[in-house]
Amino acid sequence: MDTDTNKKKDMFSDCEKATLLVEQEQFETLSSEDTLYMTIHLDGCLVCRTYRVQSKEINNTISRIFKNAPVFIRLDETYKQKLRAKINEAVNNT
């Protein structure tokens, strides 16, 4: 594989981890290691910073809409695995 392809995969992997942490931080306290990782990544990644702002706004809006209902939406593991496979396939084909 050429260097550009490896860089794209590394960048995608870093962003994937950061966006997962963005979602996780809205529902639970992150570990010190995860907080440091996310802080460093967000400092240098405009796309993930934008994602974080948008994700928080979406969750706040949903919370306001469903004020009296708990907002613990979880995807089932099978769906997550299929989604990861599709994402990985798309990354590998670019």
Side-chain angles (χ1 to χ4, degrees):
M1 257 182 222
D2 65 354
T3 307
D4 286 340
T5 302
N6 286 336
K7 285 181 184 178
K8 283 181 187 177
K9 285 185 179 181
D10 289 345
M11 184 175 67
F12 175 77
S13 177
D14 289 347
C15 290
E16 181 181 33
K17 180 177 179 180
T19 56
L20 289 172
L21 292 174
V22 162
E23 295 302 322
Q24 184 180 352
E25 80 171 333
Q26 294 183 54
F27 299 101
E28 58 191 61
T29 304
L30 297 179
S31 68
S32 299
E33 180 182 329
D34 286 341
T35 300
L36 178 61
Y37 174 86
M38 193 170 67
T39 301
I40 292 169
H41 182 83
L42 292 176
D43 188 48
C45 184
L46 176 62
V47 173
C48 287
R49 284 196 311 269
T50 302
Y51 178 85
R52 185 182 196 199
V53 169
Q54 291 174 343
S55 177
K56 284 183 177 185
E57 186 58 37
I58 290 167
N59 281 331
N60 288 338
T61 301
I62 290 173
S63 293
R64 284 192 301 272
I65 292 170
F66 297 102
K67 204 183 266 186
N68 297 324
V71 184
F72 294 106
I73 300 169
R74 302 270 187 218
L75 299 175
D76 73 76
E77 286 302 315
T78 304
Y79 179 79
K80 285 194 249 183
Q81 289 172 354
K82 288 179 182 178
L83 188 57
R84 282 188 191 113
K86 284 182 181 180
I87 291 169
N88 287 334
E89 182 181 329
V91 169
N92 291 331
N93 290 332
T94 50

